[in-house]
Structures are given as C-alpha cells and as structure tokens.
C-alpha cells in the first residue's frame, strides 16, 4: 500500500510555491473525494493558498457544482479527459482561485463505463494554461486514490513553477 504521507513533502512545496507567486488553488474531486484538498490543507500555511474544494463524486454534481456541461457528461461520461478539464476550470471559477484541479477516474474494484480500474484523468487550469493528462494507475482502491493525489500535487507544482 502507498504511504499517505508520500504527497506531504510535495504539498509543502506547492504551498510554498503558490505563496511565493501570490496564487491560490481549488479542487474538484471525484475519485479522490477530497483527499487532494485535504493533503494541501495538511500543510501549515495552506489557508493562504487553498480556496476550497468541490467533492463531486456523483455525476450530477459534476454538472451542478463543478460546471461540467450536461452535454459533455452525456456524450463523454463522467470519466473522460473533457470532464476533468471542465472540472478544473469549474473549480477555479467557482472558488475564485488562480489554479483549478479536476480529478475523475475509476478506483475500483470494478470497471466503469468501459474504463478499466486505474484509469484517471487529471485536469489543471491556471493563468493562461489548461491541460489534461490520462493516468493508468495500478493497485487497490486506496493506492489508486493516494497515487492520483500525489501526481496531482506534483503536476500542480510543475505548473506553478512554470
């Protein structure tokens, strides 16, 4: 099993980098169900940079809270690159942050909508920058969620540091 503290050191770096840049972050999380924002919030000083987080585990909440279009959810589904992108943008705009992160995927134990367990889409949206990556993770449900969180923290750090 992956150690939950594996993302703690990079999260501290994210808080330092965001603070130095005078920027903030917000999350829209599905499969991680708040784990990403909790990881960032665990760092002293996080209150200066973490605007908030949306737990959008249910598909309808991806639309109503994270502003993913109903058409996108109907055509691509809740586990898709476009959904993660719109979740990131939605988190950013709804929470008034400089950066938004969207995480959606399949933690298991069963496949979902034709996607195998371990399929994760990570969306990042920031000043003049939006990107989505598809991850293929392995392990049990907890390991997939922790690993996705750690990757999201590291990718946000990469983006903030430019």
């Amino acid at each position: 099993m992956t150690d939950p503290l594996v993302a703690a050191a990079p999260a501290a770096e994210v808080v330092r980098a965001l603070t130095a840049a005078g920027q903030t972050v917000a999350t829209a999380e599905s499969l991680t169900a708040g784990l990403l924002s909790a990881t960032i919030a665990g760092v002293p000083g996080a209150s200066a940079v973490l605007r908030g987080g949306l737990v959008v585990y249910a598909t309808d909440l991806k639309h109503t809270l994270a502003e993913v279009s109903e058409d996108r959810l109907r055509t691509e589904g809740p586990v898709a690159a476009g959904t993660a992108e719109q979740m990131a943008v939605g988190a950013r705009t709804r929470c008034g942050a400089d950066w938004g992160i969207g995480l959606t995927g399949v933690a298991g134990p069963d496949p979902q909508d034709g996607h195998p367990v371990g399929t994760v889409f990570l969306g990042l949206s920031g000043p003049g920058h939006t990107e989505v990556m598809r991850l293929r993770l392995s392990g049990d449900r907890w390991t997939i969620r922790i690993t996705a969180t750690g990757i999201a923290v590291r990718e946000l750090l990469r983006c903030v540091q430019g």
Side-chain angles (χ1 to χ4, degrees), residues 69-160:
S69 74
E70 287 180 316
D71 185 55
R72 167 100 7 134
L73 290 168
R74 188 173 37 261
T75 59
E76 296 181 25
V79 178
T83 300
E85 178 180 5
Q86 286 190 353
M87 287 170 62
V89 171
R92 181 178 177 206
T93 58
R94 293 285 288 211
C95 295
D98 297 292
W99 290 94
I101 303 174
L103 274 167
T104 187
V106 184
D110 300 314
Q112 180 183 338
D113 299 328
H115 295 288
V117 172
T119 301
V120 176
F121 291 95
L122 166 62
L124 293 153
S125 177
H129 178 93
T130 300
E131 68 179 80
V132 179
M133 55 191 67
R134 180 184 183 132
L135 310 172
R136 295 184 190 274
L137 307 178
S138 60
D140 62 15
R141 187 174 176 78
W142 180 246
T143 300
I144 290 168
R145 294 174 69 235
I146 287 286
T147 303
T149 297
I151 291 170
V153 168
R154 286 192 304 275
E155 290 301 319
L156 175 61
L157 180 61
R158 175 186 58 80
C159 290
V160 171

Side-chain angles (χ1 to χ4, degrees), residues 56-69:
V56 292
Y57 208 72
T59 299
D60 63 310
L61 294 180
K62 288 173 181 62
H63 169 67
T64 58
L65 295 180
E67 301 180 338
V68 177
S69 74

